[in-house]
């Protein structure tokens, strides 16, 4: 099932309109089936060797294919809540169950103790129930209203168990119908007309089978007329076409059991059971591939979103939130492993005057240039430059002592001054400058993040009081 979560819509084979690719593939399958039918039809009455093992192999394959198909359709119904899918899933479950019942009543195939005794016409009746039931299901599928492409996802919270109860009711209903038909074909076999005499089909049997063939043709015509076709509609039409060839070869054009038509028809029946299963399995493979791709895209998007949530929109440095998290984390690591760590607080000198006279766009450009200079001074992977707020910046320097921090602070001050951004309204210098306060973590005293920030802020205040455009350091509460 192809899932498009970008706009809250589900798209799958039951709602996706059939395109040229699907139509051509389906037409190719029908053409191949017609070709094989035309080759086999003239030899349908040719007698072949009786192979009793053919029936159990054939039945086992049919039951497995139909059960898997029913399971896949039930799973799609549990998501889309489409009545058409529920009916079709019930139809495939019906064919699986009645095929099994057909095998259990086939003459000489199984002798299961406790089951009702089968009469000479029981397996023929079961075959007719089987091949008449699926076209009726297809007709019911046709009459139900199809879902529109891109249908909104159902609200599963509104009725969390409604799909489960619908599936349970369908399964119970199918079991009841198959059980009732089996009991009628065994206990009531005295009321069943003579369809077979030995291994030969009677005229009455051919008449009934011709009626079933026409019923299948009617179901195919109704489905073909109901447009627009979904991908599921197209392949269901292929199934009904092959179903027609199955009945024609195995029950109408042949003479009875174990001739070429009978064997060929059984092979057609197996193909009919396999077509929709292959479509659903290939759809699941495409769904898995799309889910893998979407998972990768979602992971990349989440990483980008996480990066954006940690990044200052103007300067592209770490924002205040990420700074607080990172500082707390680095303090914990430094305290645990008894390492040094330093914090720098930087403030652009006379920035209000710069903004007032040069304008806010120029002020934003100035902050970006200052941020780039500070980022360039964060040379180690663990160093982090962040926008603390307004025109204030911070630098977290793990594994850095006071001397190293003072050196980085002086390099940052010099880098900003070296850009020579004109500032004609500064009483400190003719260019934009910064003041820097440096504080070192005292992990022996259990220093916290707010205490370290307060210590660095005290140094910054001292640098401003001393004339700005300079660095002031503190350790152990003493200014240096």
């Amino acid at each position: 099932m192809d899932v498009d979560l970008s706009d809250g819509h589900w798209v799958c084979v039951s709602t996706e309109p059939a395109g040229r690719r699907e139509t051509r593939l389906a037409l190719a399958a029908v053409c191949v089936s017609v070709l094989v039918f035309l080759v086999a039809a003239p030899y349908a009455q040719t007698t072949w060797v009786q192979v009793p093992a053919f029936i159990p192999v054939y039945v086992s394959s049919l039951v497995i294919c139909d059960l898997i198909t029913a399971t896949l359709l039930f799973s799609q119904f549990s998501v889309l809540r489409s009545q058409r899918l529920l009916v079709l899933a019930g139809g495939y479950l019906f064919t699986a169950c009645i095929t099994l019942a057909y095998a259990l009543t086939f003459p000489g195939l199984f002798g299961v103790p406790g089951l009702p005794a089968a009469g000479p016409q029981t397996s023929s009746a079961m075959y007719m129930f089987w091949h008449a039931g699926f076209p009726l299901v297809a007709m019911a599928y046709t009459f139900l209203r199809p879902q529109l492409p891109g249908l909104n996802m159902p609200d599963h919270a509104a009725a969390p168990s409604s799909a489960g109860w619908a599936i349970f009711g369908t399964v119970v209903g199918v079991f009841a119908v198959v059980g009732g038909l089996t009991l009628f074909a065994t206990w009531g076999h005295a009321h069943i007309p003579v369809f077979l005499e030995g291994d030969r089909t009677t005229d009455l049997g051919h008449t009934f089978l011709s009626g079933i063939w026409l019923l299948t043709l009617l179901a195919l015509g109704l489905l073909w007329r109901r447009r627009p076709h979904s991908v599921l509609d197209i392949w269901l039409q292929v199934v009904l076409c092959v179903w027609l060839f199955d009945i024609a070869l195995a029950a109408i054009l042949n003479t009875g059991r174990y001739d070429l038509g009978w064997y060929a028809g059984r092979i057609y029946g197996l193909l009919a059971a396999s077509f929709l299963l292959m479509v659903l399995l290939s759809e699941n493979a495409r769904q898995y591939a799309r889910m893998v791709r979407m998972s990768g895209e979602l992971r990349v998007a989440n990483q980008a979103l996480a990066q954006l949530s940690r990044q200052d929109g103007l300067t592209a440095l770490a924002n205040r939130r990420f700074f607080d998290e990172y500082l707390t984390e680095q303090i914990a690591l430094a305290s645990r492993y008894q390492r040094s760590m330093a914090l720098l607080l930087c403030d652009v000198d006379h920035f209000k005057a710069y903004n007032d006279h040069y304008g806010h766009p120029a002020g934003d450009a100035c902050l970006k240039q200052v941020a780039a200079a500070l980022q360039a001074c964060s040379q180690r992977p663990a160093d982090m430059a962040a926008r603390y707020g307004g025109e204030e910046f911070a630098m977290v320097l793990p594994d850095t002592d006071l001397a190293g921090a003072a050196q980085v602070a002086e390099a940052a001050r010099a880098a900003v001054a070296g850009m020579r951004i004109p500032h004609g309204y500064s009483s400190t210098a003719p260019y934009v400058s910064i003041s820097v306060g440096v504080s070192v973590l005292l992990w022996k005293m259990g220093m916290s993040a707010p205490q370290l920030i307060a210590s660095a802020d005290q140094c910054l205040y001292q640098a401003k009081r001393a004339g700005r455009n300079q660095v002031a350091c503190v350790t152990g509460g003493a200014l240096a």
Side-chain angles (χ1 to χ4, degrees), residues 14 77 81-90 136-148 170 222-223 226-228 230 233:
S14 63
F77 165 76
R81 311 292 171 87
S82 167
Q83 291 182 345
R84 299 182 102 203
L85 288 175
L86 183 63
V87 167
L88 191 59
L136 291 174
V137 169
M139 293 171 67
Y141 170 88
T142 303
F143 291 136
L144 290 173
R145 182 179 180 182
Q147 284 183 299
L148 298 176
T170 302
L222 291 173
L223 185 58
R226 187 69 177 264
R227 301 191 181 189
S230 67
D233 295 340

Side-chain angles (χ1 to χ4, degrees), residues 350-360 362 423-426:
H350 303 291
F351 185 72
K352 184 178 185 304
Y354 187 95
N355 245 352
D356 290 343
H357 292 89
Y358 292 102
H360 289 286
H423 191 349
Y425 301 92
S426 171

Side-chain angles (χ1 to χ4, degrees), residues 13-14 16 18 84 88 141-142 146 220 223-224 226-240 276:
V13 293
S14 63
E16 182 181 3
R84 299 182 102 203
L88 191 59
Y141 170 88
T142 303
L220 175 61
L223 185 58
W224 180 77
R226 187 69 177 264
R227 301 191 181 189
H229 295 145
S230 67
V231 175
L232 183 59
D233 295 340
I234 288 291
W235 285 102
L236 187 56
Q237 291 177 51
V238 174
V239 171
L240 290 173
L276 191 57

Side-chain angles (χ1 to χ4, degrees), residues 348 366-375 393 416 419 421 432 434:
V348 180
C366 174
L367 292 178
K368 290 180 181 179
Q369 291 176 278
V370 172
L374 297 181
Q375 185 65 54
F393 298 87
V416 174
M419 290 189 296
I421 304 171
V432 170
I434 61 172

Side-chain angles (χ1 to χ4, degrees), residues 261-276:
W262 188 84
Y263 282 110
R266 294 299 184 271
I267 295 174
Y268 265 107
L270 185 58
L271 288 175
S274 304
F275 275 127
L276 191 57

Side-chain angles (χ1 to χ4, degrees), residues 74-107:
F74 276 131
S75 66
Q76 288 201 7
F77 165 76
S78 67
V79 175
L80 297 176
R81 311 292 171 87
S82 167
Q83 291 182 345
R84 299 182 102 203
L85 288 175
L86 183 63
V87 167
L88 191 59
Y92 271 92
L93 180 62
F94 169 81
T95 59
C97 295
I98 204 162
T99 302
L100 181 60
Y102 166 79
L104 294 176
T105 59
F106 194 84

